Amino acid sequence: RTTRFYCHFTWGQKTAFFDVFNKNLAFDISGESHSHVNICYWLANEYGFDVASTDPPEPDDFQFGHTWDRSS
């Protein structure tokens, strides 16, 4: 079994729809075994989304995670 969470975001004319947590993402963020990572934090900004897996995250812990989709 796996866990998967996804979200749909809007910010003015910007939209995005993507997985915010799944087993592959957990590994990519932390570089650790999937079984040890069960937390991620997302930070939305005008350029896209940054993500961190530390609890609690420090500002330097965030790394680029996803862009906004094209504006409608």
Side-chain angles (χ1 to χ4, degrees):
R1 292 185 182 252
T2 63
T3 301
R4 178 183 180 210
F5 294 99
Y6 55 90
C7 291
H8 180 220
F9 300 91
T10 60
W11 184 342
Q13 294 294 317
K14 299 176 183 184
T15 64
F17 182 86
F18 60 92
D19 286 0
V20 293
F21 186 87
N22 62 43
K23 69 176 185 172
N24 295 326
L25 178 65
F27 182 76
D28 290 344
I29 293 169
S30 70
E32 298 178 13
S33 167
H34 303 286
S35 62
H36 296 104
V37 179
N38 59 8
I39 295 173
C40 64
Y41 290 88
W42 287 91
L43 179 65
N45 59 55
E46 63 185 292
Y47 305 107
F49 301 85
D50 297 330
V51 62
S53 64
T54 54
D55 186 30
E58 297 291 330
D60 289 342
D61 295 334
F62 285 92
Q63 60 186 1
F64 178 76
H66 199 276
T67 60
W68 287 103
D69 298 332
R70 292 185 159 224
S71 299
S72 50

